[in-house]
Amino acid sequence: MRITSARRIAAVSAAAATAVVAFAVPAFAHVTVQPGTAQQGDYTAVAFRVPDESDTASTVKLEVNLPMDHPMASVRILPLPGWTATLEKSKLDKPLQSHGQDITEAVSKITWTADDSAKIAPGQFQEFKVSLGALPTDTDKLTFKALQTYDNGDIVRWIDEAKDGQPEPAHPAPVLTLTKAAAAAGDHHGGASAAPSAAADASHDDSTDKQAAAKSSDSTARTLGVAGIVVGVIGAGLGVAGLRRKNTGSAS
């Protein structure tokens, strides 16, 4: 009975461990944007991290679609050995303003294609780096729908958008979260005027401390001077008294 119970416990534990791994691996294998956050209005560099999920096939192509509802004037790729990158542009309904110029078209899609030496093999991943900007200031996220192509012809579409209150989709699109720009110094509750005031107070306190220290030093010097005079007078008095005693003794 004990052996049977032990076997059952071991079997249940193994099944639980397998289930944990089964659920954990797909979550780890998503195509993602690294880092996952950037500041609104900034120019930033990100990497699309692509893991190979197949046990037998290698990844040979990655297509990333940029959100045209929030286009960016500047899109540049970092060359990757063994991969050829092409950028496609689309006309904008409303021109972008960039450095005083009207931008009438923006990059809408980037495609990386591998040669035979650069495929992403099973168990490996690759990062595709891009510089983006200026990031929009009227949204808190950018969604990049991506397609991953394997050398056996399979295509995984990372295009599903996550929704609040619902489980994560099987193939979520990479998302870059945008945070608000930090407030400039002095823009909050009169901070700019507070700084000079604090500096003035500190200067005043320092001046007061120096004056107090000077007065204390002067008082100490005067006290020591008076004490020296008193000691001198006493010493002189004692000297005169001693001399008188000596003279009196000699006379007698």
Side-chain angles (χ1 to χ4, degrees):
M1 292 291 294
R2 292 181 179 177
I3 294 176
T4 302
S5 299
R7 288 178 177 173
R8 288 178 179 175
I9 293 173
V12 171
S13 300
T18 301
V20 169
V21 172
F23 282 105
V25 170
F28 173 79
H30 294 343
V31 172
T32 58
V33 179
Q34 302 295 329
T37 60
Q39 187 171 285
Q40 292 178 344
D42 269 2
Y43 287 79
T44 190
V46 299
F48 292 95
R49 182 173 296 171
V50 181
D52 191 279
E53 295 183 306
S54 175
D55 294 330
T56 58
S58 298
T59 299
V60 294
K61 182 189 291 186
L62 174 69
E63 300 170 66
V64 175
N65 293 278
L66 279 64
M68 294 310 291
D69 54 343
H70 293 96
M72 287 162 283
S74 176
V75 178
R76 293 180 172 86
I77 57 99
L78 183 68
L80 183 62
W83 291 80
T84 300
T86 58
L87 281 66
E88 297 181 23
K89 292 186 176 182
S90 297
K91 291 288 185 179
L92 300 177
D93 295 334
K94 181 180 179 180
L96 287 174
Q97 289 290 327
S98 179
H99 304 290
Q101 295 182 344
D102 286 340
I103 307 299
T104 58
E105 59 180 13
V107 175
S108 57
K109 183 178 180 180
I110 308 174
T111 302
W112 287 271
T113 305
D115 61 28
D116 291 338
S117 66
K119 299 177 181 180
I120 308 174
Q124 298 180 353
F125 75 93
Q126 183 60 268
E127 290 187 336
F128 302 84
K129 298 182 180 181
V130 182
S131 171
L132 303 171
L135 299 176
T137 58
D138 57 349
T139 183
D140 59 2
K141 67 178 180 180
L142 292 175
T143 301
F144 301 88
K145 297 184 177 183
L147 275 66
Q148 180 180 7
T149 302
Y150 289 86
D151 58 7
N152 63 358
D154 289 344
I155 298 177
V156 180
R157 301 177 183 276
W158 302 96
I159 61 174
D160 298 333
E161 297 189 40
K163 297 181 180 179
D164 294 338
Q166 296 186 13
E168 184 181 55
H171 298 96
V175 174
L176 178 64
T177 300
L178 301 181
T179 60
K180 292 188 178 298
D187 289 346
H188 187 60
H189 299 302
S193 60
S197 177
D201 291 343
S203 176
H204 175 73
D205 292 343
D206 184 58
S207 176
T208 302
D209 291 343
K210 288 181 179 179
Q211 292 177 4
K215 289 181 180 179
S216 176
S217 176
D218 185 58
S219 298
T220 301
R222 289 180 181 177
T223 301
L224 291 175
V226 173
I229 293 172
V230 172
V231 171
V233 171
I234 293 174
L238 290 175
V240 172
L243 182 61
R244 287 179 177 177
R245 289 177 182 176
K246 183 177 181 180
N247 293 335
T248 302
S250 300
S252 61

